[in-house]
Amino acid sequence: MHTPPVHYLFFSTAIFFAALLMALEYDLIRNWDLKPSEQKKLQVEEIFVLASILIAELLIFSWRRMRDRADELMRRMAAEQDAHQSARHDTLTGLPNRKLFAERAGEALSNSWNRGTDCAVLLIDLDGFKPINDTWGHASGDAALLEVAERLKSCSPKTGMVARLGGDEFAVLCEAPLGGTAATSLAQGILRELEKPIGINGHNIAISATIGIAIGPANGRRAEDLIHAADLAMYEGKRSGRGTVVMAT
């Protein structure tokens, strides 16, 4: 509901009370022939009515001001939350972005170090994704990326995190316990899932991926080092023929 501006409320209240005062004076003149005691009683009654109306107006005005301030606070909080969300999430897929992924990887490394367990970063780069945009258009490319994001979420551990680091590059973070064998098995399952054709606009689009795996804290005690190790392993897989899984050394 639209709230009138503050100056409008003051202006309308002033006009209202001016009209009431004029009505009071007219009533007093009209009842001039009353006895002094009766005139005084009439004045008291009308003043009481005026005071009651004034209090009611002030209460309404205060309530509106409080409601406006509450609405403004909610709008600011929502805007801050949206800004926070946008700063840490990919705008297309809604997945965590590189910044949030690095933060969570750092937390996972800290937990692994304290518990004496492992965590894993799987860096996933789609093979030959550019021709999809060139052949079918960017809308089809975006649809393919959305499907990839859903498939990664469906085949990744519930306790892990799936992120889009940028372009056609994704990542999966898995917390302990997850050694090299389990991480490789997970990566192979992801490859099989991504190799299934994607139906877009009546066409079946085939994609593949290359995955680099880094195990923390063995391959890096900082999030940046662990992600970099997985990135190097992924590029090694690209050089060796793509569509493969490579473990960082």
Side-chain angles (χ1 to χ4, degrees), residues 125-129 131 191 195 208-211 234-246:
D125 190 84
L126 303 182
D127 298 328
F129 181 76
L191 285 185
E195 287 172 355
S208 62
T210 301
I211 302 178
M234 184 271 296
Y235 277 107
E236 183 180 341
K238 291 280 189 182
R239 289 192 296 269
S240 64
R242 302 186 176 187
T244 58
V245 175
V246 177

Side-chain angles (χ1 to χ4, degrees), residues 66-138:
M66 291 177 63
R67 187 188 63 181
D68 289 345
R69 290 180 180 179
D71 290 344
E72 179 63 24
L73 179 60
M74 292 297 294
R75 284 193 292 269
R76 289 182 180 179
M77 292 177 62
E80 291 175 0
Q81 186 175 3
D82 290 343
H84 181 80
Q85 177 82 1
S86 299
R88 286 173 166 76
H89 289 79
D90 175 55
T91 55
L92 174 63
T93 63
L95 293 175
N97 61 13
R98 181 180 291 272
K99 181 177 181 180
L100 181 54
F101 185 81
E103 291 176 3
R104 284 290 303 276
E107 295 172 3
L109 277 169
S110 179
N111 294 335
S112 297
W113 183 261
N114 293 332
R115 298 168 184 170
T117 55
D118 296 327
C119 65
V121 166
L122 284 67
L123 201 147
I124 305 158
D125 190 84
L126 303 182
D127 298 328
F129 181 76
K130 186 176 182 298
I132 296 177
N133 285 330
D134 295 340
T135 303
W136 308 109
H138 287 281

Side-chain angles (χ1 to χ4, degrees), residues 128-201:
F129 181 76
K130 186 176 182 298
I132 296 177
N133 285 330
D134 295 340
T135 303
W136 308 109
H138 287 281
S140 296
D142 289 346
L145 291 173
L146 288 170
E147 178 61 24
V148 168
E150 290 301 317
R151 293 186 183 187
L152 289 176
K153 288 190 291 184
S154 68
C155 60
S156 298
K158 293 182 179 179
T159 56
M161 169 185 275
V162 179
R164 184 188 179 200
L165 304 188
D168 58 355
E169 190 174 64
F170 294 82
V172 176
L173 172 65
C174 301
E175 295 199 43
L178 190 72
T181 302
T184 301
S185 177
L186 173 62
Q188 294 289 356
I190 290 174
L191 285 185
R192 289 192 295 271
E193 188 67 23
L194 294 181
E195 287 172 355
K196 298 177 182 179
I198 300 175
I200 299 176
N201 296 329

